[in-house]
Amino acid sequence: MSISTKPFIVYLLSASSIAVLSAFFLTGTNNDHHPSSSSLSNSIPSSSSPLHSLHASYGSGTKKIWPELEFSWRLVLATLIGFLGSAFGTVGGVGGGGIFVPMLTLIVGFDTKSAAALSKCMIMGASTSSVWYNLRVRHPTREVPILDYDLALLFQPMLMLGITVGVALSVVFPYWLITVLIIILFIGTSSRSFYKATEMWKEETLLKKELARQQATMVNSRGELLIDTDYEPLMPREEKSRVQIFCFNLRWKRILVLMAVWVSFLLIQAIKNDVEVCSVWYWVLFCLQFPVALVVFGYEAVKLYKDQKKMKSTGSGECICEASIEWTVMPIIFCALCGVLGGTVGGLLGSGGGFILGPLLIEIGVIPQVASATATFVMMYSSSLSVVEFYFLKRFPIPYALYLMMVSVLAGFFGQCFVRKLVRILGRASIIVFILSGVIFACAITMGVIGVVSSIQMIQNHEFMGFLGFCSSQ
């Protein structure tokens, strides 16, 4: 963890702690207030995307609103926003759920919980097409897959564990507190990403100037000065077909492990939906998620730790994976905490955690192209888990889901193709980080404004503003 990262972490921890403590204070001042059933239903953070808690909240006071799929200016505008959000969201590796939910509620007219479910369908479609595109692309600098499977195995289990915990807490936290956390975290991560992007832009500018100077002035073996001489790289890369690149990027053993984690979480969530909330079996199933995540994370963490020691003993300075950090005990623990906290906050705020995973990968030294591909790859698992769960709970209309997924699939492929070509033409990978920062900031604005307006309405209606009971709110 670099020195410049520490003030950012202090900012996030201190601001979030103040927000949570103030919520406890408000809860204490409202102890004599007994919220009515309508207040309780309105206090549930409807913009979140619960996986297992939706089964209980389906029969709550939130009214299900599913507009008909028909041609209108609303559908055209939603298609345009969804296309652009999916295209740029997947390039940045953040999904774009903070744009999709307001779009589906304010423009199309869905209720917030159905909008959250459809948002996950869009994220799954865009991330799946992006992964398909990235599997056909070579690593920009090394002869390794563009997807970093080591980092995927390290973060995916902890992220999915955090999402399930955050989703369980989403019905407990007051709506205004979730809005405050959205503003704090989204603006914080977008600002940090923008700072990293500007630093990359400056480094790329210096590198381009140095390369231009070397290419303009070269000396041949006889000492003659050569001006504007074209030259070939010392070790040209071997040409490969699309099929060869695709097969090279696939690592079936790693993918099967990730699929096993995905299936395990899905089965646990499916069984837990039919169990009484807060019963003994409920907590047994809830706790089963921890060993599933920790076993896979522990295996990958031990592998990275042993590889790091082996590299040190041989004196090699080569990176073990894409991250340019030493895989000792403290960085591994830090990554585990970031994965769990990122997933928890993602589940709490109704996103897949991509807005934390994407900037985190950039922060630990992963180049933008690989960070985008890996974050999107991990996001495909978390979003698809949500979609399958939402389907079993009948939380979205199939025709709308298929249409929006089709739009997102096309947008994800187009976004990856357009931005990657732009990066090759300009020679600036920092463009991906600028896009990441911009999407997170756009999500902060849309979700923040809607959250503030809703919170003001709750205050005017004298609704309960404190924490709700966990068991009674599921």
Side-chain angles (χ1 to χ4, degrees):
M1 184 168 58
S2 63
I3 297 177
S4 60
T5 308
K6 293 180 180 178
F8 171 67
I9 295 176
V10 171
Y11 156 76
L12 291 180
L13 291 177
S14 58
S16 302
S17 300
I18 292 173
V20 173
L21 289 175
S22 62
F24 277 110
F25 173 77
L26 281 180
T27 304
T29 59
N30 287 313
N31 276 338
D32 56 340
H33 174 73
H34 300 283
S36 63
S37 59
S38 61
S39 297
L40 282 172
S41 64
N42 289 331
S43 298
I44 294 175
S46 56
S47 64
S48 63
S49 55
L51 301 177
H52 54 277
S53 62
L54 261 175
H55 185 66
S57 60
Y58 181 83
S60 67
T62 304
K63 183 180 179 181
K64 184 173 68 173
I65 304 175
W66 289 359
E68 293 291 332
L69 179 60
E70 55 186 9
F71 182 79
S72 65
W73 69 269
R74 294 178 182 274
L75 182 64
V76 173
L77 183 58
T79 301
L80 179 62
I81 295 175
F83 186 90
L84 295 176
S86 296
F88 292 109
T90 51
V91 168
V94 294
I99 297 175
F100 301 149
V101 174
M103 177 265 291
L104 290 168
T105 54
L106 298 180
I107 298 177
V108 183
F110 280 96
D111 65 279
T112 49
K113 290 186 178 181
S114 299
L118 287 170
S119 171
K120 291 296 183 181
C121 295
M122 297 179 70
I123 294 173
M124 184 188 74
S127 59
T128 301
S129 66
S130 297
V131 170
W132 173 258
Y133 177 87
N134 287 322
L135 286 173
R136 299 161 59 248
V137 175
R138 299 184 70 173
H139 191 288
T141 59
R142 301 166 59 192
E143 283 300 323
V144 294
I146 194 169
L147 301 176
D148 194 313
Y149 291 96
D150 286 319
L151 293 178
L153 282 167
L154 193 72
F155 285 110
Q156 187 241 21
M158 307 308 287
L159 192 69
M160 294 183 71
L161 176 63
I163 288 175
T164 59
V165 174
V167 161
L169 295 176
S170 65
V171 294
V172 177
F173 276 58
Y175 187 69
W176 71 266
L177 177 58
I178 292 179
T179 300
V180 172
L181 290 175
I182 286 175
I183 296 173
I184 291 173
L185 294 169
F186 279 35
I187 290 181
T189 52
S190 65
S191 301
R192 179 65 186 175
S193 299
F194 184 79
Y195 170 78
K196 295 289 290 185
T198 54
E199 291 296 309
M200 288 183 184
W201 183 277
K202 293 176 183 177
E203 292 175 1
E204 289 166 348
T205 301
L206 293 176
L207 181 61
K208 289 172 78 70
K209 288 181 178 179
E210 179 65 20
L211 290 175
R213 185 185 66 80
Q214 291 179 3
Q215 188 172 1
T217 305
M218 295 185 62
V219 179
N220 66 7
S221 58
R222 295 177 295 176
E224 297 173 345
L225 189 65
L226 304 177
I227 305 298
D228 294 333
T229 303
D230 293 330
Y231 62 96
E232 296 293 329
L234 295 177
M235 297 182 63
R237 301 180 72 182
E238 178 187 356
E239 292 294 331
K240 291 184 178 181
S241 65
R242 292 285 188 184
V243 176
Q244 289 176 321
I245 295 173
F246 182 83
C247 295
F248 180 76
N249 280 326
L250 286 177
R251 294 291 186 269
W252 287 110
K253 290 183 179 179
R254 303 295 185 89
I255 293 175
L256 288 175
V257 174
L258 292 170
M259 284 297 299
V261 176
W262 185 89
V263 171
S264 300
F265 271 85
L266 178 62
L267 289 175
I268 292 173
Q269 296 300 320
I271 297 172
K272 189 154 62 66
N273 278 332
D274 297 326
V275 175
E276 182 182 355
V277 177
C278 289
S279 64
V280 175
W281 280 111
Y282 177 90
W283 291 114
V284 169
L285 291 169
F286 186 84
C287 293
L288 271 179
Q289 300 170 124
F290 289 83
V292 171
L294 290 175
V295 165
V296 178
F297 172 83
Y299 172 81
E300 185 60 34
V302 170
K303 176 182 177 297
L304 290 174
Y305 180 77
K306 289 182 177 179
D307 289 345
Q308 183 70 53
K309 289 186 65 176
K310 183 178 179 181
M311 297 292 285
K312 274 190 172 183
S313 63
T314 58
S316 175
E318 185 179 352
C319 295
I320 296 173
C321 63
E322 291 294 332
S324 57
I325 60 175
E326 289 191 10
W327 292 106
T328 54
V329 176
M330 289 307 297
I332 289 174
I333 294 176
F334 174 73
C335 288
L337 292 176
C338 287
V340 173
L341 290 177
T344 302
V345 175
L348 191 65
L349 305 184
S351 68
F355 73 95
I356 286 183
L357 181 59
L360 177 62
L361 292 177
I362 297 294
E363 194 68 37
I364 62 178
V366 182
I367 63 175
Q369 296 96 320
V370 178
S372 171
T374 305
T376 306
F377 181 60
V378 174
M379 191 167 55
M380 180 182 68
Y381 285 98
S382 61
S383 61
S384 60
L385 176 66
S386 303
V387 169
V388 174
E389 185 70 12
F390 279 128
Y391 173 77
F392 287 138
L393 298 177
K394 300 179 180 179
R395 285 305 300 154
F396 56 80
I398 301 299
Y400 248 111
L402 293 177
Y403 173 75
L404 293 174
M405 284 177 63
M406 180 190 67
V407 172
S408 299
V409 166
L410 295 176
F413 194 87
F414 170 80
Q416 291 288 344
C417 183
F418 174 76
V419 174
R420 293 303 172 95
K421 285 186 177 180
L422 188 64
V423 168
R424 284 198 297 268
I425 293 172
L426 299 179
R428 294 184 180 273
S430 58
I431 294 174
I432 297 176
V433 189
F434 277 117
I435 293 174
L436 182 149
S437 173
V439 173
I440 297 177
F441 184 75
C443 292
I445 297 299
T446 55
M447 298 294 287
V449 169
I450 291 177
V452 168
V453 172
S454 300
S455 298
I456 292 175
Q457 291 177 348
M458 291 175 66
I459 294 174
Q460 292 174 345
N461 295 333
H462 303 287
E463 297 180 13
F464 183 66
M465 303 295 290
F467 286 91
L468 301 174
F470 179 83
C471 296
S472 60
S473 303
Q474 294 296 316

mmCIF file of all heavy atoms in Angstrom, residues 39-72:
data_model
loop_
_atom_site.group_PDB
_atom_site.id
_atom_site.type_symbol
_atom_site.label_atom_id
_atom_site.label_comp_id
_atom_site.label_asym_id
_atom_site.label_seq_id
_atom_site.Cartn_x
_atom_site.Cartn_y
_atom_site.Cartn_z
ATOM 1 N N SER A 39 -44.326 2.848 7.326
ATOM 2 C CA SER A 39 -43.029 3.484 7.505
ATOM 3 C C SER A 39 -41.903 2.472 7.380
ATOM 4 O O SER A 39 -40.857 2.748 6.808
ATOM 5 C CB SER A 39 -42.968 4.166 8.878
ATOM 6 O OG SER A 39 -43.918 5.201 8.965
ATOM 7 N N LEU A 40 -42.131 1.292 7.946
ATOM 8 C CA LEU A 40 -41.104 0.265 7.845
ATOM 9 C C LEU A 40 -40.844 -0.126 6.403
ATOM 10 O O LEU A 40 -39.704 -0.271 5.982
ATOM 11 C CB LEU A 40 -41.521 -0.968 8.661
ATOM 12 C CG LEU A 40 -41.335 -0.867 10.175
ATOM 13 C CD1 LEU A 40 -41.966 -2.080 10.838
ATOM 14 C CD2 LEU A 40 -39.878 -0.757 10.542
ATOM 15 N N SER A 41 -41.903 -0.288 5.655
ATOM 16 C CA SER A 41 -41.721 -0.695 4.259
ATOM 17 C C SER A 41 -41.055 0.389 3.458
ATOM 18 O O SER A 41 -40.269 0.106 2.557
ATOM 19 C CB SER A 41 -43.085 -1.047 3.632
ATOM 20 O OG SER A 41 -43.913 0.101 3.592
ATOM 21 N N ASN A 42 -41.325 1.662 3.777
ATOM 22 C CA ASN A 42 -40.697 2.742 3.044
ATOM 23 C C ASN A 42 -39.261 2.957 3.479
ATOM 24 O O ASN A 42 -38.460 3.512 2.738
ATOM 25 C CB ASN A 42 -41.486 4.051 3.239
ATOM 26 C CG ASN A 42 -42.813 4.036 2.528
ATOM 27 O OD1 ASN A 42 -42.950 3.371 1.502
ATOM 28 N ND2 ASN A 42 -43.797 4.721 3.062
ATOM 29 N N SER A 43 -38.938 2.544 4.718
ATOM 30 C CA SER A 43 -37.577 2.736 5.200
ATOM 31 C C SER A 43 -36.615 1.706 4.645
ATOM 32 O O SER A 43 -35.416 1.877 4.725
ATOM 33 C CB SER A 43 -37.552 2.660 6.741
ATOM 34 O OG SER A 43 -38.351 3.686 7.289
ATOM 35 N N ILE A 44 -37.139 0.625 4.104
ATOM 36 C CA ILE A 44 -36.262 -0.383 3.516
ATOM 37 C C ILE A 44 -35.598 0.198 2.277
ATOM 38 O O ILE A 44 -36.255 0.796 1.435
ATOM 39 C CB ILE A 44 -37.067 -1.642 3.135
ATOM 40 C CG1 ILE A 44 -37.600 -2.301 4.417
ATOM 41 C CG2 ILE A 44 -36.227 -2.627 2.356
ATOM 42 C CD1 ILE A 44 -38.501 -3.478 4.154
ATOM 43 N N PRO A 45 -34.275 0.079 2.158
ATOM 44 C CA PRO A 45 -33.582 0.668 1.023
ATOM 45 C C PRO A 45 -33.965 0.000 -0.282
ATOM 46 O O PRO A 45 -33.371 -0.976 -0.707
ATOM 47 C CB PRO A 45 -32.099 0.429 1.355
ATOM 48 C CG PRO A 45 -32.091 -0.726 2.280
ATOM 49 C CD PRO A 45 -33.375 -0.663 3.035
ATOM 50 N N SER A 46 -34.953 0.551 -0.923
ATOM 51 C CA SER A 46 -35.500 -0.103 -2.112
ATOM 52 C C SER A 46 -34.570 -0.063 -3.301
ATOM 53 O O SER A 46 -34.768 -0.792 -4.255
ATOM 54 C CB SER A 46 -36.825 0.573 -2.496
ATOM 55 O OG SER A 46 -36.637 1.951 -2.693
ATOM 56 N N SER A 47 -33.546 0.784 -3.279
ATOM 57 C CA SER A 47 -32.634 0.828 -4.419
ATOM 58 C C SER A 47 -31.581 -0.253 -4.355
ATOM 59 O O SER A 47 -30.782 -0.402 -5.258
ATOM 60 C CB SER A 47 -31.937 2.190 -4.468
ATOM 61 O OG SER A 47 -31.141 2.377 -3.329
ATOM 62 N N SER A 48 -31.574 -1.023 -3.271
ATOM 63 C CA SER A 48 -30.601 -2.108 -3.191
ATOM 64 C C SER A 48 -31.074 -3.287 -4.016
ATOM 65 O O SER A 48 -32.190 -3.324 -4.493
ATOM 66 C CB SER A 48 -30.412 -2.538 -1.728
ATOM 67 O OG SER A 48 -31.620 -3.043 -1.218
ATOM 68 N N SER A 49 -30.185 -4.285 -4.119
ATOM 69 C CA SER A 49 -30.529 -5.434 -4.955
ATOM 70 C C SER A 49 -30.420 -6.715 -4.151
ATOM 71 O O SER A 49 -29.486 -7.477 -4.328
ATOM 72 C CB SER A 49 -29.593 -5.497 -6.159
ATOM 73 O OG SER A 49 -28.264 -5.503 -5.735
ATOM 74 N N PRO A 50 -31.335 -6.997 -3.206
ATOM 75 C CA PRO A 50 -31.201 -8.155 -2.343
ATOM 76 C C PRO A 50 -31.325 -9.456 -3.099
ATOM 77 O O PRO A 50 -32.156 -9.600 -3.969
ATOM 78 C CB PRO A 50 -32.336 -7.985 -1.335
ATOM 79 C CG PRO A 50 -33.287 -7.034 -1.936
ATOM 80 C CD PRO A 50 -32.522 -6.195 -2.894
ATOM 81 N N LEU A 51 -30.517 -10.432 -2.710
ATOM 82 C CA LEU A 51 -30.572 -11.761 -3.315
ATOM 83 C C LEU A 51 -31.554 -12.634 -2.548
ATOM 84 O O LEU A 51 -32.543 -13.090 -3.094
ATOM 85 C CB LEU A 51 -29.176 -12.399 -3.285
ATOM 86 C CG LEU A 51 -28.077 -11.641 -3.995
ATOM 87 C CD1 LEU A 51 -26.763 -12.370 -3.811
ATOM 88 C CD2 LEU A 51 -28.381 -11.492 -5.451
ATOM 89 N N HIS A 52 -31.269 -12.863 -1.268
ATOM 90 C CA HIS A 52 -32.129 -13.751 -0.521
ATOM 91 C C HIS A 52 -33.209 -13.027 0.265
ATOM 92 O O HIS A 52 -34.223 -13.609 0.589
ATOM 93 C CB HIS A 52 -31.287 -14.600 0.435
ATOM 94 C CG HIS A 52 -30.392 -13.805 1.328
ATOM 95 N ND1 HIS A 52 -29.165 -13.355 0.930
ATOM 96 C CD2 HIS A 52 -30.562 -13.369 2.585
ATOM 97 C CE1 HIS A 52 -28.592 -12.699 1.906
ATOM 98 N NE2 HIS A 52 -29.415 -12.684 2.920
ATOM 99 N N SER A 53 -33.023 -11.733 0.572
ATOM 100 C CA SER A 53 -34.013 -11.019 1.369
ATOM 101 C C SER A 53 -35.224 -10.594 0.541
ATOM 102 O O SER A 53 -36.250 -10.222 1.103
ATOM 103 C CB SER A 53 -33.376 -9.769 1.996
ATOM 104 O OG SER A 53 -32.934 -8.896 1.004
ATOM 105 N N LEU A 54 -35.123 -10.696 -0.775
ATOM 106 C CA LEU A 54 -36.256 -10.308 -1.610
ATOM 107 C C LEU A 54 -37.453 -11.227 -1.401
ATOM 108 O O LEU A 54 -38.589 -10.832 -1.589
ATOM 109 C CB LEU A 54 -35.841 -10.338 -3.087
ATOM 110 C CG LEU A 54 -35.486 -8.984 -3.689
ATOM 111 C CD1 LEU A 54 -34.992 -9.165 -5.098
ATOM 112 C CD2 LEU A 54 -36.632 -8.027 -3.644
ATOM 113 N N HIS A 55 -37.187 -12.466 -1.028
ATOM 114 C CA HIS A 55 -38.280 -13.411 -0.834
ATOM 115 C C HIS A 55 -39.235 -12.921 0.253
ATOM 116 O O HIS A 55 -40.448 -13.059 0.135
ATOM 117 C CB HIS A 55 -37.711 -14.774 -0.450
ATOM 118 C CG HIS A 55 -38.755 -15.845 -0.352
ATOM 119 N ND1 HIS A 55 -39.457 -16.285 -1.441
ATOM 120 C CD2 HIS A 55 -39.213 -16.553 0.709
ATOM 121 C CE1 HIS A 55 -40.305 -17.227 -1.071
ATOM 122 N NE2 HIS A 55 -40.174 -17.403 0.236
ATOM 123 N N ALA A 56 -38.639 -12.313 1.303
ATOM 124 C CA ALA A 56 -39.475 -11.796 2.380
ATOM 125 C C ALA A 56 -40.061 -10.439 2.024
ATOM 126 O O ALA A 56 -41.215 -10.143 2.337
ATOM 127 C CB ALA A 56 -38.649 -11.685 3.668
ATOM 128 N N SER A 57 -39.270 -9.599 1.352
ATOM 129 C CA SER A 57 -39.732 -8.241 1.086
ATOM 130 C C SER A 57 -40.693 -8.167 -0.095
ATOM 131 O O SER A 57 -41.284 -7.128 -0.347
ATOM 132 C CB SER A 57 -38.525 -7.328 0.796
ATOM 133 O OG SER A 57 -37.832 -7.791 -0.326
ATOM 134 N N TYR A 58 -40.836 -9.277 -0.824
ATOM 135 C CA TYR A 58 -41.745 -9.273 -1.974
ATOM 136 C C TYR A 58 -43.164 -8.954 -1.544
ATOM 137 O O TYR A 58 -43.906 -8.272 -2.234
ATOM 138 C CB TYR A 58 -41.695 -10.642 -2.666
ATOM 139 C CG TYR A 58 -42.585 -10.727 -3.874
ATOM 140 C CD1 TYR A 58 -42.162 -10.259 -5.098
ATOM 141 C CD2 TYR A 58 -43.853 -11.281 -3.786
ATOM 142 C CE1 TYR A 58 -42.978 -10.343 -6.213
ATOM 143 C CE2 TYR A 58 -44.669 -11.365 -4.904
ATOM 144 C CZ TYR A 58 -44.229 -10.897 -6.100
ATOM 145 O OH TYR A 58 -45.032 -10.984 -7.187
ATOM 146 N N GLY A 59 -43.547 -9.438 -0.379
ATOM 147 C CA GLY A 59 -44.902 -9.185 0.086
ATOM 148 C C GLY A 59 -45.023 -7.954 0.953
ATOM 149 O O GLY A 59 -46.015 -7.785 1.626
ATOM 150 N N SER A 60 -44.017 -7.104 0.953
ATOM 151 C CA SER A 60 -44.054 -5.909 1.780
ATOM 152 C C SER A 60 -44.890 -4.848 1.129
ATOM 153 O O SER A 60 -45.583 -5.040 0.159
ATOM 154 C CB SER A 60 -42.618 -5.399 2.011
ATOM 155 O OG SER A 60 -42.076 -4.954 0.805
ATOM 156 N N GLY A 61 -44.765 -3.622 1.670
ATOM 157 C CA GLY A 61 -45.603 -2.541 1.176
ATOM 158 C C GLY A 61 -45.170 -1.973 -0.151
ATOM 159 O O GLY A 61 -45.840 -1.106 -0.689
ATOM 160 N N THR A 62 -44.050 -2.430 -0.683
ATOM 161 C CA THR A 62 -43.591 -1.919 -1.960
ATOM 162 C C THR A 62 -44.442 -2.489 -3.088
ATOM 163 O O THR A 62 -44.522 -3.694 -3.269
ATOM 164 C CB THR A 62 -42.116 -2.283 -2.193
ATOM 165 O OG1 THR A 62 -41.351 -1.780 -1.103
ATOM 166 C CG2 THR A 62 -41.616 -1.689 -3.481
ATOM 167 N N LYS A 63 -45.058 -1.625 -3.878
ATOM 168 C CA LYS A 63 -45.928 -2.064 -4.954
ATOM 169 C C LYS A 63 -45.112 -2.395 -6.188
ATOM 170 O O LYS A 63 -44.240 -1.650 -6.604
ATOM 171 C CB LYS A 63 -46.941 -0.958 -5.274
ATOM 172 C CG LYS A 63 -47.951 -1.366 -6.340
ATOM 173 C CD LYS A 63 -48.920 -0.229 -6.607
ATOM 174 C CE LYS A 63 -49.918 -0.617 -7.693
ATOM 175 N NZ LYS A 63 -50.867 0.483 -7.979
ATOM 176 N N LYS A 64 -45.407 -3.545 -6.797
ATOM 177 C CA LYS A 64 -44.701 -3.972 -8.007
ATOM 178 C C LYS A 64 -45.317 -3.295 -9.216
ATOM 179 O O LYS A 64 -46.522 -3.412 -9.456
ATOM 180 C CB LYS A 64 -44.770 -5.485 -8.135
ATOM 181 C CG LYS A 64 -43.973 -6.034 -9.308
ATOM 182 C CD LYS A 64 -43.926 -7.545 -9.299
ATOM 183 C CE LYS A 64 -45.281 -8.139 -9.575
ATOM 184 N NZ LYS A 64 -45.236 -9.609 -9.725
ATOM 185 N N ILE A 65 -44.488 -2.581 -9.989
ATOM 186 C CA ILE A 65 -44.945 -1.860 -11.179
ATOM 187 C C ILE A 65 -44.121 -2.332 -12.370
ATOM 188 O O ILE A 65 -42.917 -2.093 -12.427
ATOM 189 C CB ILE A 65 -44.800 -0.334 -11.003
ATOM 190 C CG1 ILE A 65 -45.542 0.148 -9.752
ATOM 191 C CG2 ILE A 65 -45.322 0.387 -12.241
ATOM 192 C CD1 ILE A 65 -45.333 1.611 -9.454
ATOM 193 N N TRP A 66 -44.783 -3.009 -13.328
ATOM 194 C CA TRP A 66 -44.129 -3.504 -14.531
ATOM 195 C C TRP A 66 -44.808 -2.909 -15.764
ATOM 196 O O TRP A 66 -45.847 -3.398 -16.209
ATOM 197 C CB TRP A 66 -44.201 -5.024 -14.601
ATOM 198 C CG TRP A 66 -43.341 -5.729 -13.603
ATOM 199 C CD1 TRP A 66 -42.523 -5.174 -12.682
ATOM 200 C CD2 TRP A 66 -43.213 -7.149 -13.455
ATOM 201 N NE1 TRP A 66 -41.896 -6.132 -11.942
ATOM 202 C CE2 TRP A 66 -42.298 -7.362 -12.401
ATOM 203 C CE3 TRP A 66 -43.782 -8.240 -14.090
ATOM 204 C CZ2 TRP A 66 -41.944 -8.641 -11.977
ATOM 205 C CZ3 TRP A 66 -43.421 -9.514 -13.673
ATOM 206 C CH2 TRP A 66 -42.516 -9.707 -12.637
ATOM 207 N N PRO A 67 -44.240 -1.857 -16.354
ATOM 208 C CA PRO A 67 -44.824 -1.286 -17.575
ATOM 209 C C PRO A 67 -44.748 -2.277 -18.735
ATOM 210 O O PRO A 67 -43.909 -3.171 -18.764
ATOM 211 C CB PRO A 67 -43.942 -0.055 -17.845
ATOM 212 C CG PRO A 67 -43.239 0.220 -16.555
ATOM 213 C CD PRO A 67 -43.076 -1.104 -15.875
ATOM 214 N N GLU A 68 -45.644 -2.099 -19.705
ATOM 215 C CA GLU A 68 -45.640 -2.946 -20.899
ATOM 216 C C GLU A 68 -44.469 -2.577 -21.809
ATOM 217 O O GLU A 68 -44.085 -1.415 -21.908
ATOM 218 C CB GLU A 68 -46.956 -2.791 -21.663
ATOM 219 C CG GLU A 68 -48.167 -3.332 -20.932
ATOM 220 C CD GLU A 68 -48.153 -4.847 -20.825
ATOM 221 O OE1 GLU A 68 -47.542 -5.495 -21.732
ATOM 222 O OE2 GLU A 68 -48.710 -5.392 -19.862
ATOM 223 N N LEU A 69 -43.914 -3.586 -22.463
ATOM 224 C CA LEU A 69 -42.840 -3.354 -23.423
ATOM 225 C C LEU A 69 -43.458 -2.943 -24.752
ATOM 226 O O LEU A 69 -43.928 -3.766 -25.534
ATOM 227 C CB LEU A 69 -41.999 -4.623 -23.592
ATOM 228 C CG LEU A 69 -40.833 -4.527 -24.589
ATOM 229 C CD1 LEU A 69 -39.851 -3.449 -24.171
ATOM 230 C CD2 LEU A 69 -40.126 -5.884 -24.716
ATOM 231 N N GLU A 70 -43.473 -1.640 -25.008
ATOM 232 C CA GLU A 70 -44.037 -1.096 -26.242
ATOM 233 C C GLU A 70 -43.221 0.108 -26.679
ATOM 234 O O GLU A 70 -42.599 0.799 -25.858
ATOM 235 C CB GLU A 70 -45.502 -0.696 -26.032
ATOM 236 C CG GLU A 70 -45.723 0.264 -24.886
ATOM 237 C CD GLU A 70 -47.195 0.518 -24.614
ATOM 238 O OE1 GLU A 70 -48.016 -0.183 -25.210
ATOM 239 O OE2 GLU A 70 -47.496 1.427 -23.816
ATOM 240 N N PHE A 71 -43.233 0.365 -27.976
ATOM 241 C CA PHE A 71 -42.428 1.452 -28.531
ATOM 242 C C PHE A 71 -42.956 2.800 -28.050
ATOM 243 O O PHE A 71 -44.147 3.098 -28.173
ATOM 244 C CB PHE A 71 -42.445 1.399 -30.055
ATOM 245 C CG PHE A 71 -41.590 2.462 -30.699
ATOM 246 C CD1 PHE A 71 -40.217 2.298 -30.777
ATOM 247 C CD2 PHE A 71 -42.166 3.619 -31.197
ATOM 248 C CE1 PHE A 71 -39.431 3.278 -31.365
ATOM 249 C CE2 PHE A 71 -41.388 4.605 -31.780
ATOM 250 C CZ PHE A 71 -40.004 4.426 -31.860
ATOM 251 N N SER A 72 -42.057 3.618 -27.494
ATOM 252 C CA SER A 72 -42.404 4.956 -27.028
ATOM 253 C C SER A 72 -41.117 5.746 -26.842
ATOM 254 O O SER A 72 -40.006 5.195 -26.911
ATOM 255 C CB SER A 72 -43.184 4.887 -25.705
ATOM 256 O OG SER A 72 -42.373 4.357 -24.678
#
